[in-house]
Amino acid sequence: QVQLVESGGGLVQAGGSLRLSCAASGRTFSNFYVGWFRQAPGKEREFVATINRSGSSTYYTNSVKGRFTISRDNAKNTVYLQMSNLKPEDTAVYYCATNQELFTAVPSRYDSWGQGTQVTVSS
């Protein structure tokens, strides 16, 4: 498994931007697919974005397409989620997660999870 630590969350006004980081340690990071997920109070954890091992392929949930960008720097063992034009409905705890086998949006297919970082968007 790999250890993951998210950072970069905070309070922002609607229309603003944040960049989340997911720092990994413990294993060869470039072997892992990485996903970002989020969970709002009272709701199930939902998929946001994922990126393949090299960073050449990405996939987003429809609600964030055109506003969020996932990227990775394998030399720094870090994955980023650049979030722009944020909306109040983006408010949630954001988690990064890894798996070695699949380019997937399914949370249960991910093996390691970070502790999460809170993103709050005010209207």
Side-chain angles (χ1 to χ4, degrees):
Q1 288 190 342
V2 62
Q3 289 74 49
L4 303 170
V5 178
E6 302 95 335
S7 62
L11 174 64
V12 63
Q13 289 187 332
S17 298
L18 284 174
R19 188 177 80 158
L20 305 185
S21 297
C22 172
S25 61
R27 298 287 296 275
T28 304
F29 187 59
S30 57
N31 289 341
F32 293 86
Y33 298 89
V34 181
W36 282 100
F37 298 82
R38 65 187 180 187
Q39 188 167 19
K43 295 187 177 181
E44 293 187 353
R45 190 168 299 188
E46 67 170 352
F47 167 76
V48 176
T50 188
I51 190 165
N52 69 346
R53 294 164 174 164
S54 66
S56 61
S57 293
T58 58
Y59 178 68
Y60 301 89
T61 192
N62 286 338
S63 63
V64 308
K65 284 181 181 177
R67 301 189 298 121
F68 291 11
T69 302
I70 188 172
S71 62
R72 68 190 297 162
D73 185 341
N74 286 337
K76 295 183 177 180
N77 289 349
T78 303
V79 168
Y80 305 98
L81 185 68
Q82 178 67 48
M83 306 186 295
S84 302
N85 191 20
L86 283 160
K87 304 176 181 181
E89 52 263 43
D90 294 318
T91 295
V93 178
Y94 283 71
Y95 301 87
C96 63
T98 61
N99 84 83
Q100 285 189 281
E101 299 179 351
L102 291 174
F103 187 60
T104 180
V106 179
S108 62
R109 303 309 297 265
Y110 286 79
D111 308 305
S112 298
W113 292 80
Q115 84 291 345
T117 185
Q118 176 71 48
V119 171
T120 303
V121 184
S122 63
S123 57

